[in-house]
Amino acid sequence: MTIRVVTDSTCDLDPADIERLGIAVVPLNIHFGAQVYRDGLDIGKQEFYERLQQSAVLPRTSQPSVSDFQATYEALAGDTTTEAIVSVHIGGKLSGTINAAQTAARLLAERDDPTPPVRVVDSDQASIGLGFAAMAAAEAVAEGADVEAVVAAAEGTARRSRVLLVVDTLEYLQKGGRIGRARAFLGTLLRTKPVLELADGEIEGIERPRTRQKAVERLFQLTVRTPAPRRIGILHGTTPEEAEALAARVRGALPEVPVSVHRCSPVIGVHTGPAAIGAAIERMR
């Protein structure tokens, strides 16, 4: 018997890690006008960012439907080796994804035939902050942990992780309704490159450097000064060379810490914009 881990497409995990750890991914949706695409299935990252930069209308996003989650849970529950399902998702303050997952889990539990229990975890995270939590759950499964320990691994990793972000403009977060406490930065000098953090499930502003170079330097400092880092993910939308250069600097400063580079998923990119760059740091404690 085994425990299956589910997450959503905002986790920004590499496909190789998803396959290696046996994680099931439920896609969110991207809307370009009347066209709807499933994140990572109907539209890839390269195509999305090209369209984002060319489109006159800002795309929008939506959470998976309850039936999307039901289909995933039922498929996993249909495997007789499945003991339980742990479903780890983007923070509820950022998306309705968690509500859809909880509803699907409840409907599965109400079925007449016996089904494996589904535990839904609100990570209060996004991007690789969520990805780290899903990885921790899957790694706990591989080590033979029980359901409670798998849930605890996901929740603990999410609490110990921080996501930092530099954006060229707050326009995407504002229009997408995800600006959170960073709203205080609106109306300030236009020629700034905000440094933001995802804290308690909401975006908040940290600093407003005047240039991108200074903003990325500040991102580097905040990343390497985070106490007791266990693993770090560097995030980007359309600036792979910049992300690789930042990752190399972080590896030089923290040679014992694994550092990976990830391209933000389309759903994340809708809200952060094409030129965003960031870092997710999982702390040991």
Side-chain angles (χ1 to χ4, degrees):
M1 301 294 283
T2 189
I3 299 165
R4 299 300 303 272
V5 175
V6 177
T7 189
D8 60 70
S9 62
T10 67
C11 69
D12 286 341
L13 289 174
D14 290 340
D17 288 328
I18 290 170
E19 183 176 359
R20 174 176 60 85
L21 294 168
I23 299 172
V25 179
V26 179
L28 276 74
N29 305 303
I30 301 102
H31 303 251
F32 277 98
Q35 295 177 302
V36 183
Y37 302 89
R38 292 172 298 172
D39 186 4
L41 294 180
D42 302 325
I43 190 168
K45 295 178 181 180
Q46 184 63 32
E47 180 186 355
F48 164 75
Y49 280 107
E50 289 175 358
R51 289 193 63 173
L52 180 64
Q53 292 173 296
Q54 296 167 4
S55 177
V57 179
L58 187 69
R60 59 186 181 87
T61 62
S62 63
Q63 71 258 24
S65 67
V66 172
S67 61
D68 290 334
F69 277 106
Q70 283 181 289
T72 299
Y73 295 158
E74 288 171 0
L76 296 176
D79 185 338
T80 56
T81 66
T82 300
E83 171 189 349
I85 298 168
V86 176
S87 203
V88 189
H89 297 289
I90 183 173
K93 295 175 185 176
L94 296 171
S95 171
T97 298
I98 199 77
N99 296 327
Q102 290 168 337
T103 300
R106 185 177 67 252
L107 292 173
L108 188 68
E110 291 172 353
R111 284 176 29 171
D112 292 334
D113 54 317
T115 57
V118 179
R119 296 287 296 275
V120 179
V121 177
D122 184 342
S123 71
D124 257 352
Q125 288 287 352
S127 189
I128 291 298
L130 165 61
F132 285 160
M135 287 181 68
E139 289 163 352
V141 170
E143 293 169 1
D146 62 16
V147 175
E148 295 302 326
V150 172
V151 170
E155 292 178 337
T157 297
R159 284 195 302 270
R160 293 191 302 272
S161 297
R162 69 185 308 202
V163 174
L164 301 163
L165 189 66
V166 170
V167 295
D168 262 5
T169 172
L170 292 172
E171 175 188 6
Y172 293 93
L173 285 166
Q174 181 188 18
K175 290 184 175 179
R178 302 301 193 278
I179 196 165
R181 292 188 291 265
R183 184 174 301 278
F185 277 12
L186 291 174
T188 57
L189 292 175
L190 295 178
R191 297 184 63 182
T192 62
K193 305 299 177 184
V195 181
L196 311 171
E197 181 168 5
L198 180 58
D200 299 322
E202 291 187 90
I203 300 291
E204 66 176 29
I206 299 178
E207 295 179 16
R208 291 165 285 189
R210 284 297 196 92
T211 67
R212 185 174 180 90
Q213 181 179 1
K214 290 180 179 179
V216 173
E217 176 62 28
R218 188 61 179 136
L219 174 63
F220 167 73
Q221 293 171 359
L222 290 167
T223 299
V224 299
R225 292 175 185 173
T226 298
R230 179 171 181 256
R231 52 188 164 193
I232 294 171
I234 303 300
L235 320 168
H236 76 95
T238 57
T239 57
E241 295 85 0
E242 183 182 45
E244 290 290 352
L246 176 60
R249 291 188 66 196
V250 174
R251 292 185 188 109
L254 301 170
E256 303 301 318
V257 180
V259 180
S260 53
V261 177
H262 307 262
R263 193 172 194 183
C264 295
S265 71
V267 166
I268 297 294
V270 167
H271 300 292
T272 59
I277 185 169
I281 308 100
E282 178 191 343
R283 297 182 292 259
M284 294 182 186
R285 55 183 182 275

